[in-house]
Amino acid sequence: MNILRAMGMLAFATVLVSVTPATSCADSWALPATETYSSCSGNARLTVTPRDLESQLDYFEDKVRKVDPAGQKKRGARQASARLERLIDKRWQLVWEHHLANDVAPVSALVRDDGAYAVTFDNWHGMGYGPNVVVVYGQDGKMVRALALSDLVPPDYIKALPHSVSSIRWRREPRFSLDGQRVLIPVVIPSEEFNADPATIDLAVELADGKVSPSNPTAWDAALATGRKVLAAKVASDEAAKAAFLAPLLGPKANTQREWHDYLREAVGRLSGDKITPSTTVLRLPDAADYSESEIWVHDAVTESYSDNVALASLSEPNLVAVLGKIASKLPNRSLSKVRVFIAVSDQNWPAVVAAMKHTGARVVQLNPAKAIPQRPERIARRYGRN
């Protein structure tokens, strides 16, 4: 199957994963569960119990309605809590039990081997957000300091970091310093390209008072400079994308599959609105080594009804007309009566397409790459606001 078309079909699918979100632009969070975090040598452990939620859906709906506490399960725990224990004479003994600052649960935690300190990181369904991105707990579970991300890095640096729907990808896995007096957090260094294994630089948080400092000031200055550069590039890219979104749409400037897929999706959105999500298929050049499979894509797109709305283009427009004629000639009358087919062809080739597809009953819609398609006002308002 055409991989790009399959990706479009799966765009709204959600896969449940662990508490930590996938490293992509999508977000998916399993319900939080009780987690136990052991110290490096196993002599101390911190058991975190989340606030009980009815479901992810209830939580999200309550957030929209501004219901607090969002998604709360009836007769369930109404606050996140933690229990710290130490292994003494081969038996676990309670050091403290206390409520946590997190609304639902932290994403992860560390506990020092002597049980003197525990540190939690981030919030369920909101990495990088909130006043308790890092929280240090000391004696008797009392809070030493709660830190927001803005207490760790400058606002422009935060803007330069990778963002998903609900989270900021700002760190990798923290650890204690060798002397046990600080927690070291590998902070992601912004990059213009997505990297599954990004470069990081350590920021240190003192356990005694929560003071923040870079482990290597010179390297930190370089990371800040990189962040400024990445943010400037991001702002320029966003401005260019906005200008393209607002401008009348013409056919692709480059005759590539990716450009044609993007054109088809945007053209259909401008003509029919965002409620229509077509499958998109692009026929390759006839002399391409992998051309034959792209003919199969076109055949399957119009005959196997992956979608009631199909959008087609080709790197060779005359060849698309010929292929559609060949496919349509083998189809029974009215066999595509439930399918709407958007086809990117010029006025010169449109009559041949209409004639070839007529007996199939398909509703064919021309996307003329040479004719500018204006943006729909409601799409502008949805993305950028009415002003």
mmCIF file with all atom_site columns, all heavy atoms in Angstrom, residues 146-166:
data_model
loop_
_atom_site.group_PDB
_atom_site.id
_atom_site.type_symbol
_atom_site.label_atom_id
_atom_site.label_alt_id
_atom_site.label_comp_id
_atom_site.label_asym_id
_atom_site.label_entity_id
_atom_site.label_seq_id
_atom_site.pdbx_PDB_ins_code
_atom_site.Cartn_x
_atom_site.Cartn_y
_atom_site.Cartn_z
_atom_site.occupancy
_atom_site.B_iso_or_equiv
_atom_site.pdbx_formal_charge
_atom_site.auth_seq_id
_atom_site.auth_comp_id
_atom_site.auth_asym_id
_atom_site.auth_atom_id
_atom_site.pdbx_PDB_model_num
ATOM 1   N N   . ALA A 1 146 ? 9.906  23.415 44.619 1.00 0.00 ? 146 ALA A N   1
ATOM 2   C CA  . ALA A 1 146 ? 9.250  23.022 43.371 1.00 0.00 ? 146 ALA A CA  1
ATOM 3   C C   . ALA A 1 146 ? 9.717  23.964 42.272 1.00 0.00 ? 146 ALA A C   1
ATOM 4   O O   . ALA A 1 146 ? 9.738  25.183 42.459 1.00 0.00 ? 146 ALA A O   1
ATOM 5   C CB  . ALA A 1 146 ? 7.730  23.084 43.521 1.00 0.00 ? 146 ALA A CB  1
ATOM 6   N N   . LEU A 1 147 ? 10.084 23.397 41.139 1.00 0.00 ? 147 LEU A N   1
ATOM 7   C CA  . LEU A 1 147 ? 10.626 24.187 40.039 1.00 0.00 ? 147 LEU A CA  1
ATOM 8   C C   . LEU A 1 147 ? 9.760  24.025 38.796 1.00 0.00 ? 147 LEU A C   1
ATOM 9   O O   . LEU A 1 147 ? 9.399  22.905 38.401 1.00 0.00 ? 147 LEU A O   1
ATOM 10  C CB  . LEU A 1 147 ? 12.046 23.724 39.706 1.00 0.00 ? 147 LEU A CB  1
ATOM 11  C CG  . LEU A 1 147 ? 13.094 23.892 40.811 1.00 0.00 ? 147 LEU A CG  1
ATOM 12  C CD1 . LEU A 1 147 ? 14.285 23.002 40.547 1.00 0.00 ? 147 LEU A CD1 1
ATOM 13  C CD2 . LEU A 1 147 ? 13.523 25.345 40.895 1.00 0.00 ? 147 LEU A CD2 1
ATOM 14  N N   . ALA A 1 148 ? 9.418  25.162 38.170 1.00 0.00 ? 148 ALA A N   1
ATOM 15  C CA  . ALA A 1 148 ? 8.823  25.146 36.844 1.00 0.00 ? 148 ALA A CA  1
ATOM 16  C C   . ALA A 1 148 ? 9.950  25.060 35.824 1.00 0.00 ? 148 ALA A C   1
ATOM 17  O O   . ALA A 1 148 ? 11.120 25.307 36.143 1.00 0.00 ? 148 ALA A O   1
ATOM 18  C CB  . ALA A 1 148 ? 7.988  26.404 36.623 1.00 0.00 ? 148 ALA A CB  1
ATOM 19  N N   . LEU A 1 149 ? 9.612  24.733 34.584 1.00 0.00 ? 149 LEU A N   1
ATOM 20  C CA  . LEU A 1 149 ? 10.639 24.664 33.551 1.00 0.00 ? 149 LEU A CA  1
ATOM 21  C C   . LEU A 1 149 ? 11.314 26.024 33.366 1.00 0.00 ? 149 LEU A C   1
ATOM 22  O O   . LEU A 1 149 ? 12.516 26.103 33.091 1.00 0.00 ? 149 LEU A O   1
ATOM 23  C CB  . LEU A 1 149 ? 10.031 24.177 32.230 1.00 0.00 ? 149 LEU A CB  1
ATOM 24  C CG  . LEU A 1 149 ? 11.010 23.865 31.099 1.00 0.00 ? 149 LEU A CG  1
ATOM 25  C CD1 . LEU A 1 149 ? 12.107 22.908 31.542 1.00 0.00 ? 149 LEU A CD1 1
ATOM 26  C CD2 . LEU A 1 149 ? 10.258 23.298 29.894 1.00 0.00 ? 149 LEU A CD2 1
ATOM 27  N N   . SER A 1 150 ? 10.551 27.095 33.566 1.00 0.00 ? 150 SER A N   1
ATOM 28  C CA  . SER A 1 150 ? 11.109 28.447 33.429 1.00 0.00 ? 150 SER A CA  1
ATOM 29  C C   . SER A 1 150 ? 12.088 28.781 34.554 1.00 0.00 ? 150 SER A C   1
ATOM 30  O O   . SER A 1 150 ? 12.827 29.762 34.462 1.00 0.00 ? 150 SER A O   1
ATOM 31  C CB  . SER A 1 150 ? 9.979  29.479 33.399 1.00 0.00 ? 150 SER A CB  1
ATOM 32  O OG  . SER A 1 150 ? 9.172  29.377 34.554 1.00 0.00 ? 150 SER A OG  1
ATOM 33  N N   . ASP A 1 151 ? 12.095 27.986 35.641 1.00 0.00 ? 151 ASP A N   1
ATOM 34  C CA  . ASP A 1 151 ? 13.101 28.153 36.687 1.00 0.00 ? 151 ASP A CA  1
ATOM 35  C C   . ASP A 1 151 ? 14.426 27.486 36.299 1.00 0.00 ? 151 ASP A C   1
ATOM 36  O O   . ASP A 1 151 ? 15.454 27.730 36.931 1.00 0.00 ? 151 ASP A O   1
ATOM 37  C CB  . ASP A 1 151 ? 12.621 27.549 38.013 1.00 0.00 ? 151 ASP A CB  1
ATOM 38  C CG  . ASP A 1 151 ? 11.412 28.274 38.573 1.00 0.00 ? 151 ASP A CG  1
ATOM 39  O OD1 . ASP A 1 151 ? 11.396 29.515 38.516 1.00 0.00 ? 151 ASP A OD1 1
ATOM 40  O OD2 . ASP A 1 151 ? 10.483 27.593 39.070 1.00 0.00 ? 151 ASP A OD2 1
ATOM 41  N N   . LEU A 1 152 ? 14.350 26.632 35.279 1.00 0.00 ? 152 LEU A N   1
ATOM 42  C CA  . LEU A 1 152 ? 15.532 25.885 34.852 1.00 0.00 ? 152 LEU A CA  1
ATOM 43  C C   . LEU A 1 152 ? 16.180 26.491 33.615 1.00 0.00 ? 152 LEU A C   1
ATOM 44  O O   . LEU A 1 152 ? 17.417 26.575 33.523 1.00 0.00 ? 152 LEU A O   1
ATOM 45  C CB  . LEU A 1 152 ? 15.148 24.431 34.559 1.00 0.00 ? 152 LEU A CB  1
ATOM 46  C CG  . LEU A 1 152 ? 14.615 23.624 35.749 1.00 0.00 ? 152 LEU A CG  1
ATOM 47  C CD1 . LEU A 1 152 ? 13.937 22.352 35.259 1.00 0.00 ? 152 LEU A CD1 1
ATOM 48  C CD2 . LEU A 1 152 ? 15.737 23.278 36.711 1.00 0.00 ? 152 LEU A CD2 1
ATOM 49  N N   . VAL A 1 153 ? 15.352 26.898 32.650 1.00 0.00 ? 153 VAL A N   1
ATOM 50  C CA  . VAL A 1 153 ? 15.871 27.430 31.384 1.00 0.00 ? 153 VAL A CA  1
ATOM 51  C C   . VAL A 1 153 ? 15.087 28.679 30.999 1.00 0.00 ? 153 VAL A C   1
ATOM 52  O O   . VAL A 1 153 ? 13.933 28.852 31.410 1.00 0.00 ? 153 VAL A O   1
ATOM 53  C CB  . VAL A 1 153 ? 15.786 26.370 30.254 1.00 0.00 ? 153 VAL A CB  1
ATOM 54  C CG1 . VAL A 1 153 ? 16.610 25.142 30.599 1.00 0.00 ? 153 VAL A CG1 1
ATOM 55  C CG2 . VAL A 1 153 ? 14.331 25.980 29.989 1.00 0.00 ? 153 VAL A CG2 1
ATOM 56  N N   . PRO A 1 154 ? 15.674 29.569 30.168 1.00 0.00 ? 154 PRO A N   1
ATOM 57  C CA  . PRO A 1 154 ? 14.985 30.811 29.773 1.00 0.00 ? 154 PRO A CA  1
ATOM 58  C C   . PRO A 1 154 ? 13.756 30.534 28.902 1.00 0.00 ? 154 PRO A C   1
ATOM 59  O O   . PRO A 1 154 ? 13.658 29.489 28.242 1.00 0.00 ? 154 PRO A O   1
ATOM 60  C CB  . PRO A 1 154 ? 16.052 31.559 28.971 1.00 0.00 ? 154 PRO A CB  1
ATOM 61  C CG  . PRO A 1 154 ? 17.347 30.953 29.349 1.00 0.00 ? 154 PRO A CG  1
ATOM 62  C CD  . PRO A 1 154 ? 17.058 29.520 29.670 1.00 0.00 ? 154 PRO A CD  1
ATOM 63  N N   . PRO A 1 155 ? 12.799 31.480 28.866 1.00 0.00 ? 155 PRO A N   1
ATOM 64  C CA  . PRO A 1 155 ? 11.573 31.297 28.064 1.00 0.00 ? 155 PRO A CA  1
ATOM 65  C C   . PRO A 1 155 ? 11.843 31.013 26.583 1.00 0.00 ? 155 PRO A C   1
ATOM 66  O O   . PRO A 1 155 ? 11.174 30.162 25.988 1.00 0.00 ? 155 PRO A O   1
ATOM 67  C CB  . PRO A 1 155 ? 10.837 32.631 28.264 1.00 0.00 ? 155 PRO A CB  1
ATOM 68  C CG  . PRO A 1 155 ? 11.316 33.127 29.582 1.00 0.00 ? 155 PRO A CG  1
ATOM 69  C CD  . PRO A 1 155 ? 12.744 32.704 29.685 1.00 0.00 ? 155 PRO A CD  1
ATOM 70  N N   . ASP A 1 156 ? 12.809 31.717 25.976 1.00 0.00 ? 156 ASP A N   1
ATOM 71  C CA  . ASP A 1 156 ? 13.090 31.482 24.560 1.00 0.00 ? 156 ASP A CA  1
ATOM 72  C C   . ASP A 1 156 ? 13.658 30.092 24.319 1.00 0.00 ? 156 ASP A C   1
ATOM 73  O O   . ASP A 1 156 ? 13.442 29.498 23.262 1.00 0.00 ? 156 ASP A O   1
ATOM 74  C CB  . ASP A 1 156 ? 14.059 32.542 24.020 1.00 0.00 ? 156 ASP A CB  1
ATOM 75  C CG  . ASP A 1 156 ? 13.356 33.862 23.750 1.00 0.00 ? 156 ASP A CG  1
ATOM 76  O OD1 . ASP A 1 156 ? 12.109 33.900 23.835 1.00 0.00 ? 156 ASP A OD1 1
ATOM 77  O OD2 . ASP A 1 156 ? 14.045 34.859 23.455 1.00 0.00 ? 156 ASP A OD2 1
ATOM 78  N N   . TYR A 1 157 ? 14.396 29.580 25.285 1.00 0.00 ? 157 TYR A N   1
ATOM 79  C CA  . TYR A 1 157 ? 14.928 28.224 25.177 1.00 0.00 ? 157 TYR A CA  1
ATOM 80  C C   . TYR A 1 157 ? 13.772 27.219 25.176 1.00 0.00 ? 157 TYR A C   1
ATOM 81  O O   . TYR A 1 157 ? 13.778 26.247 24.411 1.00 0.00 ? 157 TYR A O   1
ATOM 82  C CB  . TYR A 1 157 ? 15.877 27.950 26.339 1.00 0.00 ? 157 TYR A CB  1
ATOM 83  C CG  . TYR A 1 157 ? 16.755 26.720 26.171 1.00 0.00 ? 157 TYR A CG  1
ATOM 84  C CD1 . TYR A 1 157 ? 18.033 26.840 25.642 1.00 0.00 ? 157 TYR A CD1 1
ATOM 85  C CD2 . TYR A 1 157 ? 16.316 25.466 26.568 1.00 0.00 ? 157 TYR A CD2 1
ATOM 86  C CE1 . TYR A 1 157 ? 18.861 25.730 25.502 1.00 0.00 ? 157 TYR A CE1 1
ATOM 87  C CE2 . TYR A 1 157 ? 17.123 24.352 26.439 1.00 0.00 ? 157 TYR A CE2 1
ATOM 88  C CZ  . TYR A 1 157 ? 18.393 24.480 25.897 1.00 0.00 ? 157 TYR A CZ  1
ATOM 89  O OH  . TYR A 1 157 ? 19.199 23.373 25.756 1.00 0.00 ? 157 TYR A OH  1
ATOM 90  N N   . ILE A 1 158 ? 12.786 27.460 26.034 1.00 0.00 ? 158 ILE A N   1
ATOM 91  C CA  . ILE A 1 158 ? 11.610 26.587 26.086 1.00 0.00 ? 158 ILE A CA  1
ATOM 92  C C   . ILE A 1 158 ? 10.889 26.583 24.743 1.00 0.00 ? 158 ILE A C   1
ATOM 93  O O   . ILE A 1 158 ? 10.480 25.534 24.233 1.00 0.00 ? 158 ILE A O   1
ATOM 94  C CB  . ILE A 1 158 ? 10.654 27.030 27.208 1.00 0.00 ? 158 ILE A CB  1
ATOM 95  C CG1 . ILE A 1 158 ? 11.332 26.891 28.577 1.00 0.00 ? 158 ILE A CG1 1
ATOM 96  C CG2 . ILE A 1 158 ? 9.356  26.233 27.172 1.00 0.00 ? 158 ILE A CG2 1
ATOM 97  C CD1 . ILE A 1 158 ? 10.534 27.459 29.730 1.00 0.00 ? 158 ILE A CD1 1
ATOM 98  N N   . LYS A 1 159 ? 10.748 27.765 24.145 1.00 0.00 ? 159 LYS A N   1
ATOM 99  C CA  . LYS A 1 159 ? 10.072 27.851 22.846 1.00 0.00 ? 159 LYS A CA  1
ATOM 100 C C   . LYS A 1 159 ? 10.819 27.083 21.762 1.00 0.00 ? 159 LYS A C   1
ATOM 101 O O   . LYS A 1 159 ? 10.206 26.584 20.809 1.00 0.00 ? 159 LYS A O   1
ATOM 102 C CB  . LYS A 1 159 ? 9.931  29.313 22.429 1.00 0.00 ? 159 LYS A CB  1
ATOM 103 C CG  . LYS A 1 159 ? 8.997  30.129 23.300 1.00 0.00 ? 159 LYS A CG  1
ATOM 104 C CD  . LYS A 1 159 ? 8.985  31.593 22.858 1.00 0.00 ? 159 LYS A CD  1
ATOM 105 C CE  . LYS A 1 159 ? 8.117  32.448 23.760 1.00 0.00 ? 159 LYS A CE  1
ATOM 106 N NZ  . LYS A 1 159 ? 8.148  33.880 23.374 1.00 0.00 ? 159 LYS A NZ  1
ATOM 107 N N   . ALA A 1 160 ? 12.141 26.990 21.890 1.00 0.00 ? 160 ALA A N   1
ATOM 108 C CA  . ALA A 1 160 ? 12.953 26.313 20.876 1.00 0.00 ? 160 ALA A CA  1
ATOM 109 C C   . ALA A 1 160 ? 12.939 24.798 21.031 1.00 0.00 ? 160 ALA A C   1
ATOM 110 O O   . ALA A 1 160 ? 13.306 24.076 20.103 1.00 0.00 ? 160 ALA A O   1
ATOM 111 C CB  . ALA A 1 160 ? 14.394 26.822 20.940 1.00 0.00 ? 160 ALA A CB  1
ATOM 112 N N   . LEU A 1 161 ? 12.509 24.291 22.185 1.00 0.00 ? 161 LEU A N   1
ATOM 113 C CA  . LEU A 1 161 ? 12.490 22.845 22.426 1.00 0.00 ? 161 LEU A CA  1
ATOM 114 C C   . LEU A 1 161 ? 11.370 22.178 21.630 1.00 0.00 ? 161 LEU A C   1
ATOM 115 O O   . LEU A 1 161 ? 10.372 22.815 21.281 1.00 0.00 ? 161 LEU A O   1
ATOM 116 C CB  . LEU A 1 161 ? 12.296 22.577 23.917 1.00 0.00 ? 161 LEU A CB  1
ATOM 117 C CG  . LEU A 1 161 ? 13.491 22.892 24.828 1.00 0.00 ? 161 LEU A CG  1
ATOM 118 C CD1 . LEU A 1 161 ? 13.048 22.901 26.289 1.00 0.00 ? 161 LEU A CD1 1
ATOM 119 C CD2 . LEU A 1 161 ? 14.611 21.874 24.615 1.00 0.00 ? 161 LEU A CD2 1
ATOM 120 N N   . PRO A 1 162 ? 11.486 20.874 21.358 1.00 0.00 ? 162 PRO A N   1
ATOM 121 C CA  . PRO A 1 162 ? 10.411 20.156 20.643 1.00 0.00 ? 162 PRO A CA  1
ATOM 122 C C   . PRO A 1 162 ? 9.139  20.113 21.490 1.00 0.00 ? 162 PRO A C   1
ATOM 123 O O   . PRO A 1 162 ? 9.180  19.789 22.678 1.00 0.00 ? 162 PRO A O   1
ATOM 124 C CB  . PRO A 1 162 ? 10.993 18.743 20.449 1.00 0.00 ? 162 PRO A CB  1
ATOM 125 C CG  . PRO A 1 162 ? 12.465 18.875 20.661 1.00 0.00 ? 162 PRO A CG  1
ATOM 126 C CD  . PRO A 1 162 ? 12.649 20.004 21.625 1.00 0.00 ? 162 PRO A CD  1
ATOM 127 N N   . HIS A 1 163 ? 8.017  20.449 20.871 1.00 0.00 ? 163 HIS A N   1
ATOM 128 C CA  . HIS A 1 163 ? 6.716  20.422 21.538 1.00 0.00 ? 163 HIS A CA  1
ATOM 129 C C   . HIS A 1 163 ? 5.806  19.412 20.849 1.00 0.00 ? 163 HIS A C   1
ATOM 130 O O   . HIS A 1 163 ? 5.828  19.265 19.627 1.00 0.00 ? 163 HIS A O   1
ATOM 131 C CB  . HIS A 1 163 ? 6.041  21.799 21.477 1.00 0.00 ? 163 HIS A CB  1
ATOM 132 C CG  . HIS A 1 163 ? 6.641  22.828 22.382 1.00 0.00 ? 163 HIS A CG  1
ATOM 133 N ND1 . HIS A 1 163 ? 7.963  23.230 22.305 1.00 0.00 ? 163 HIS A ND1 1
ATOM 134 C CD2 . HIS A 1 163 ? 6.081  23.550 23.399 1.00 0.00 ? 163 HIS A CD2 1
ATOM 135 C CE1 . HIS A 1 163 ? 8.196  24.151 23.236 1.00 0.00 ? 163 HIS A CE1 1
ATOM 136 N NE2 . HIS A 1 163 ? 7.069  24.365 23.897 1.00 0.00 ? 163 HIS A NE2 1
ATOM 137 N N   . SER A 1 164 ? 4.994  18.720 21.644 1.00 0.00 ? 164 SER A N   1
ATOM 138 C CA  . SER A 1 164 ? 3.915  17.907 21.097 1.00 0.00 ? 164 SER A CA  1
ATOM 139 C C   . SER A 1 164 ? 2.601  18.546 21.508 1.00 0.00 ? 164 SER A C   1
ATOM 140 O O   . SER A 1 164 ? 2.578  19.686 21.973 1.00 0.00 ? 164 SER A O   1
ATOM 141 C CB  . SER A 1 164 ? 4.020  16.464 21.600 1.00 0.00 ? 164 SER A CB  1
ATOM 142 O OG  . SER A 1 164 ? 3.825  16.432 23.006 1.00 0.00 ? 164 SER A OG  1
ATOM 143 N N   . VAL A 1 165 ? 1.501  17.826 21.375 1.00 0.00 ? 165 VAL A N   1
ATOM 144 C CA  . VAL A 1 165 ? 0.192  18.400 21.689 1.00 0.00 ? 165 VAL A CA  1
ATOM 145 C C   . VAL A 1 165 ? 0.125  18.851 23.138 1.00 0.00 ? 165 VAL A C   1
ATOM 146 O O   . VAL A 1 165 ? -0.383 19.931 23.449 1.00 0.00 ? 165 VAL A O   1
ATOM 147 C CB  . VAL A 1 165 ? -0.927 17.379 21.387 1.00 0.00 ? 165 VAL A CB  1
ATOM 148 C CG1 . VAL A 1 165 ? -2.272 17.916 21.854 1.00 0.00 ? 165 VAL A CG1 1
ATOM 149 C CG2 . VAL A 1 165 ? -0.967 17.068 19.903 1.00 0.00 ? 165 VAL A CG2 1
ATOM 150 N N   . SER A 1 166 ? 0.651  18.041 24.060 1.00 0.00 ? 166 SER A N   1
ATOM 151 C CA  . SER A 1 166 ? 0.489  18.366 25.478 1.00 0.00 ? 166 SER A CA  1
ATOM 152 C C   . SER A 1 166 ? 1.796  18.490 26.234 1.00 0.00 ? 166 SER A C   1
ATOM 153 O O   . SER A 1 166 ? 1.783  18.829 27.421 1.00 0.00 ? 166 SER A O   1
ATOM 154 C CB  . SER A 1 166 ? -0.360 17.280 26.166 1.00 0.00 ? 166 SER A CB  1
ATOM 155 O OG  . SER A 1 166 ? 0.344  16.047 26.203 1.00 0.00 ? 166 SER A OG  1
#
